[in-house]
Amino acid sequence: MAKEFSVPPVVFPSAGTTGVPHQRRAPGAAASPFHPPRPSNAGPANPSIPFMSFDIGSAPPASSFSAPVFAPSGGALSVSGSFEDELPLLEELGINTRQIWRKTLSILNPFRLNASLHEDADLSGPFLFVMAFGLFQLLAGKFHFGIILGWVTGAALFLYVVFNMLAGHNGNLDLYRCLSLIGYSMLPMVILSALSLFVPHGGIVIFSIAAVFVLWSTRICTALLVELAACGNENRSLIAYACWLVYMLFALLIIF
């Protein structure tokens, strides 16, 4: 059985309540506000938080800017000298403008053709001639860039196969050289394309001019193939006929 305890009533003093005994304090003890305890050291309370000083005057001025250091005059001269020793950009890309100009001048005279200049095959000059040919055709109102590039590639393959079949195992004509020779021999076709802008089409004049330029290109291409490739003299007429077929197609493209 639970035991009962008697709890006395609690009476809170108020302003109007009299006769309620108050708790007495010791004399001289005055109520003071609560002050939290201070740490013994003067450092920051949390060591993980870095201490930041706001005393601007005490910190030394710091700057990340450093004075530029200039190279001596001898270093500048050596750098300029190294640039002067380097090759031009076109020669580094394999484009020899002087060689292209010499090859072009040799083609302009079909009776004094210098075949030794064309021993070093390149495609820079043929590409310029093909682009000029397409540009003159574009001025005539014909967009033939794709047709010209396709026909030049097909003509190179055709002459490469024909020449190596005629020469047999002794032929040394490669496709790269064949494409270079056909491209340089396109220069008369480029001139014919430019002249066709000023000559009326459909008459005997344009056909006569076209025949002369076809013979010019045929002679140049045949002479280069025979001189630069082995076993070409025996089949000179057959090689000339194949070249004539190629440049006749380009002439017909200009006329019609």
Side-chain angles (χ1 to χ4, degrees):
M1 185 174 180
K3 187 177 180 179
E4 296 180 359
F5 293 94
S6 58
V7 180
V10 180
V11 180
F12 295 96
S14 60
T17 307
T18 56
V20 180
H22 296 276
Q23 184 179 3
R24 294 184 179 182
R25 300 183 179 182
S32 60
F34 174 75
H35 295 279
R38 295 182 178 180
S40 58
N41 53 351
N46 192 355
S48 62
I49 301 176
F51 177 73
M52 298 178 64
S53 175
F54 295 94
D55 191 2
I56 301 176
S58 61
S63 175
S64 60
F65 176 78
S66 59
V69 179
F70 296 97
S73 59
L77 292 176
S78 63
V79 172
S80 62
S82 64
F83 280 111
E84 291 177 357
D85 296 338
E86 291 186 359
L87 295 174
L89 180 60
L90 291 178
E91 292 187 9
E92 289 184 359
L93 295 176
I95 303 174
N96 193 347
T97 54
R98 294 182 180 178
Q99 190 73 6
I100 294 173
W101 178 249
R102 291 173 184 171
K103 291 179 180 181
T104 304
L105 292 179
S106 68
I107 291 173
L108 289 176
N109 189 358
F111 300 101
R112 299 181 63 182
L113 182 63
N114 189 2
S116 60
L117 293 175
H118 296 268
E119 291 181 356
D120 186 14
D122 69 279
L123 295 182
S124 303
F127 181 77
L128 292 177
F129 293 158
V130 168
M131 289 296 104
F133 187 21
L135 179 60
F136 287 126
Q137 289 293 288
L138 184 62
L139 293 177
K142 306 172 184 178
F143 191 78
H144 287 163
F145 284 100
I147 298 175
I148 294 170
L149 290 175
W151 283 13
V152 168
T153 307
L157 291 172
F158 171 68
L159 288 180
Y160 171 75
V161 172
V162 169
F163 187 89
N164 286 287
M165 286 180 64
L166 294 174
H169 298 287
N170 298 324
N172 60 351
L173 179 67
D174 57 286
L175 186 59
Y176 183 78
R177 184 185 297 273
C178 185
L179 189 59
S180 175
L181 297 180
I182 290 177
Y184 274 106
S185 301
M186 285 286 296
L187 180 59
M189 294 292 103
V190 176
I191 301 175
L192 176 62
S193 179
L195 290 177
S196 66
L197 299 175
F198 309 99
V199 179
H201 291 197
I204 193 173
V205 177
I206 188 65
F207 284 100
S208 302
I209 296 175
V212 172
F213 280 93
V214 168
L215 292 176
W216 183 3
S217 294
T218 302
R219 177 181 174 81
I220 291 173
C221 189
T222 305
L224 291 177
L225 287 174
V226 169
E227 292 291 334
L228 299 178
C231 300
N233 274 325
E234 300 134 2
N235 305 301
R236 190 183 188 98
S237 58
L238 294 176
I239 296 172
Y241 177 67
C243 295
W244 179 81
L245 289 177
V246 169
Y247 293 106
M248 177 59 70
L249 290 177
F250 286 107
L252 293 176
L253 184 66
I254 297 172
I255 295 174
F256 295 104

